[in-house]
Amino acid sequence: MSVLFPKVNKMPTWNWRPIYYDPKKDEMERKLKALQEKREAEEKAAKEGTATDGAKPSDFNYTPSLHKGSFREAHEDHMSIRQKANRQSKLVLWIVVLCLLIFTFYVLL
């Protein structure tokens, strides 16, 4: 019987989860889509002359809050006191080494 009908094993079942799934990103995309739909509806209503909640399309202009050095400032705000002290002591060390090098070259020449 096994010659005519060989035994075929079932495919193994996999309990696979996507590695790069980010629920926060999905939630953000869902909210963004809802806001875009709301904005399109308000713009359409503004063109027709009836505003839904009194907001004008010009009220939704984006103003950037980032400026040059803002990431560095945020990083320094979140540094611990110990890290700040280490950074400051390294700076003082390099200044002292630089002064000693300048002094030794001045004396040698």
Side-chain angles (χ1 to χ4, degrees):
M1 198 68 156
S2 65
V3 175
L4 294 175
F5 300 104
K7 182 178 179 183
V8 178
N9 293 332
K10 287 185 178 180
M11 289 293 293
T13 57
W14 301 96
N15 186 13
W16 180 76
R17 291 184 335 199
I19 296 172
Y20 300 108
Y21 175 69
D22 188 8
K24 291 180 183 178
K25 182 179 177 184
D26 285 349
E27 181 69 20
M28 182 183 67
E29 288 174 354
R30 185 189 63 77
K31 287 181 181 180
L32 181 64
K33 185 176 179 182
L35 287 173
Q36 286 174 343
E37 290 173 356
K38 181 180 176 185
R39 182 176 182 182
E40 289 172 1
E42 288 175 352
E43 287 177 353
K44 184 178 178 183
K47 285 181 182 178
E48 294 173 356
T50 59
T52 55
D53 60 351
K56 301 175 194 169
S58 62
D59 293 342
F60 299 104
N61 290 337
Y62 172 72
T63 55
S65 62
L66 297 177
H67 60 278
K68 187 173 183 178
S70 62
F71 287 111
R72 181 177 48 237
E73 291 170 1
H75 175 70
E76 288 175 356
D77 289 342
H78 296 311
M79 284 175 54
S80 67
I81 295 172
R82 186 175 184 180
Q83 288 174 329
K84 288 179 184 178
N86 281 344
R87 178 181 266 183
Q88 195 173 24
S89 65
K90 286 178 186 177
L91 179 66
V92 169
L93 175 72
W94 283 110
I95 291 173
V96 169
V97 168
L98 182 67
C99 290
L100 287 173
L101 285 173
I102 291 172
F103 179 74
T104 55
F105 282 122
Y106 179 74
V107 170
L108 292 176
L109 295 177

